[in-house]
C-alpha cells in the first residue's frame, strides 16, 4: 500500500471521538430548499418550485416513480446538477450562489453515496476510504496520498464499523457489490459531513444486502448525528428505516411525513394506479 502518514506537526492532533463531535451539525435547520426549479429542457421542469426543510439528524427517504426528479433533487443539493432557479441553503449558505473555492469547501461537508459505488478500483479499500479526506489536504498531499496518522486511524476505525477491517489492504475491485457500497459509505462519513446524500444505494444489491446497507447507514447516521437523505425505489425499505418519507410525483411533493402515515391512497397519488399495490402494502386509511 502506498498510503503514507504525514508527521504529527502537519496538523493538530484529534481523536476519532473528536471527529464525531466535529461532524455533528449545529442545532436548527441543516438544509432549507426554497422554490427549487430544475428544467433540463426549457419550460419542462423536472423539479417544480419545490420547498423542503431538514432539521437535525435522522434518515429521510425520497420515494416516487422513475423520472419524477428524485436523483435530480439529490444532485442539485450537492451541485452535481445545476439548479435552474431557487435556493438551497445548507448550514446558512445558499449553495446555488457559491462558486470556486467556496463551493468546494461547502461540498466537503456533504457526503455522497452513489448507486454504482464510484470507487477507485485500483486503490485499496483503506485508500478509497481516505479519499473522503481529499478536500481537507493540499493538492500535493492528495496526489502523493499522504494522510495524517489521525486520518488513517479514523479510516481503520470506520472500516471496523462497516465490517471490512479485514479487507483494508485489498484492492477495491476484489470486493462484492455490498462490500463496495460499505466502502462508499465509510468514504462519505470520512468527510465529517454535516449532511449525507445517498442516490439509490441499494438498487444494484440483493434484498438481504439492501437491508444491511440501509441498516448500516441509519446506524452510522444516529451514531454520528448526521442527517441522511436517501433516494430509494423500495417503499418497504424506506418505511422500515426512515423517520421521514417524502413522496415525489411529477416534480412536486405529494407526501411529507412519517412512514406510518402512508396509506394505499397516498401511494396511488405518488405512483398512480393501484394494480401494482400488494394486499398488505401499508396501513389502511382511517
Amino acid at each position: 500500500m502506498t498510503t503514507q502518514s504525514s508527521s504529527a506537526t502537519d496538523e493538530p492532533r484529534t481523536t476519532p471521538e473528536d471527529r464525531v463531535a466535529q461532524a455533528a451539525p449545529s442545532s436548527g435547520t441543516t438544509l432549507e430548499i426554497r422554490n427549487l426549479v430544475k428544467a433540463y429542457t426549457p419550460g419542462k421542469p423536472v423539479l417544480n418550485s419545490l420547498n423542503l426543510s431538514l432539521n437535525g439528524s435522522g434518515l429521510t427517504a425520497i420515494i416516487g416513480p422513475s423520472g419524477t426528479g428524485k436523483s435530480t433533487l439529490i444532485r442539485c443539493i450537492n451541485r452535481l446538477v445545476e439548479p435552474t432557479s431557487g435556493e438551497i441553503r445548507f448550514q446558512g449558505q445558499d449553495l446555488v450562489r457559491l462558486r470556486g473555492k467556496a463551493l468546494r469547501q461547502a461540498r466537503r461537508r456533504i457526503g455522497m453515496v452513489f448507486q454504482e459505488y464510484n470507487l477507485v478500483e485500483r486503490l485499496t479499500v483503506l485508500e478509497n476510504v481516505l479519499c473522503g479526506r481529499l478536500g481537507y489536504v493540499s493538492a500535493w498531499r492528495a496526489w502523493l496520498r499522504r494522510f495524517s496518522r489521525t486520518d488513517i486511524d479514523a479510516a481503520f476505525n470506520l472500516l471496523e464499523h462497516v465490517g471490512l477491517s479485514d479487507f483494508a489492504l485489498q484492492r477495491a475491485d476484489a470486493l462484492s457489490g455490498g462490500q463496495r457500497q460499505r466502502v462508499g459509505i465509510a468514504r462519505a462519513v470520512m468527510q465529517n459531513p454535516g449532511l449525507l446524500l445517498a442516490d439509490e444505494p441499494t438498487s444494484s444489491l440483493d434484498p438481504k444486502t439492501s437491508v444491511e446497507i440501509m441498516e448500516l447507514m441509519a446506524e452510522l447516521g444516529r451514531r454520528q448525528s448526521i442527517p441522511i437523505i436517501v433516494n430509494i425505489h423500495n417503499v418497504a425499505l424506506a418505511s422500515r428505516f426512515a423517520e421521514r418519507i417524502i413522496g415525489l410525483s411529477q416534480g412536486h411533493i405529494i407526501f411529507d411525513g412519517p412512514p406510518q402515515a402512508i396509506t394505499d391512497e397516498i401511494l396511488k397519488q405518488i405512483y398512480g394506479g393501484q394494480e401494482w399495490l400488494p394486499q398488505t402494502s401499508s396501513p389502511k386509511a382511517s
Side-chain angles (χ1 to χ4, degrees), residues 179-198:
Q179 290 171 330
R180 292 184 188 197
Q181 196 58 288
R182 288 172 181 268
V183 176
I185 294 168
R187 177 185 60 193
V189 174
M190 270 296 291
Q191 293 179 224
N192 290 337
L195 175 66
L196 180 61
L197 307 175

Side-chain angles (χ1 to χ4, degrees), residues 153-168:
D153 289 344
F156 274 115
N157 187 47
L158 272 172
L159 285 174
E160 183 176 354
H161 279 291
V162 302
L164 292 177
S165 55
D166 292 340
F167 296 85

Side-chain angles (χ1 to χ4, degrees), residues 211-231:
V211 169
E212 293 171 349
I213 290 300
M214 289 294 291
E215 192 170 43
L216 175 62
M217 283 195 297
E219 189 274 330
L220 279 173
R222 286 191 300 268
R223 184 176 182 273
Q224 300 204 21
S225 299
I226 306 170
I228 301 172
I229 301 177
V230 179
N231 160 23

Side-chain angles (χ1 to χ4, degrees), residues 19-177:
R19 293 190 177 283
V20 172
Q22 293 166 3
S26 58
S27 61
T29 302
T30 300
L31 180 73
E32 185 165 5
I33 296 173
R34 301 173 182 168
N35 300 314
L36 180 63
V37 175
K38 175 58 185 178
Y40 295 100
T41 302
K44 297 181 179 180
V46 175
L47 299 176
N48 200 335
S49 297
L50 191 143
N51 292 279
L52 176 66
S53 292
L54 188 70
N55 302 305
S57 59
L59 193 151
T60 298
I62 302 174
I63 64 172
S66 297
T68 199
K70 300 188 304 298
S71 288
T72 295
L73 173 57
I74 290 284
R75 290 168 180 266
C76 278
I77 292 172
N78 62 8
R79 290 280 303 279
L80 290 177
V81 168
E82 286 294 318
T84 301
S85 62
E87 297 181 9
I88 302 173
R89 303 195 70 85
F90 171 62
Q91 296 183 335
Q93 290 182 299
D94 184 3
L95 299 178
V96 176
R97 306 281 188 275
L98 298 183
R99 299 290 185 271
K101 182 179 179 181
L103 178 58
R104 291 194 297 272
Q105 289 179 337
R107 276 176 167 163
R108 294 189 312 191
R109 298 284 288 155
I110 303 176
M112 183 75 174
V113 178
F114 296 89
Q115 178 179 351
E116 297 299 334
Y117 323 126
N118 281 28
L119 303 183
V120 183
E121 302 286 350
R122 62 183 177 81
L123 296 184
T124 66
V125 168
L126 177 63
E127 288 171 320
N128 269 280
V129 174
L130 284 166
C131 284
R133 299 303 297 167
L134 289 178
Y136 294 89
V137 300
S138 64
W140 75 269
R141 286 194 181 280
W143 184 70
L144 293 173
R145 297 199 295 279
R146 289 182 62 88
F147 297 94
S148 71
R149 184 73 253 171
T150 299
D151 283 340
I152 294 173
D153 289 344
F156 274 115
N157 187 47
L158 272 172
L159 285 174
E160 183 176 354
H161 279 291
V162 302
L164 292 177
S165 55
D166 292 340
F167 296 85
L169 304 185
Q170 290 194 21
R171 280 173 51 125
D173 57 9
L175 302 182
S176 68

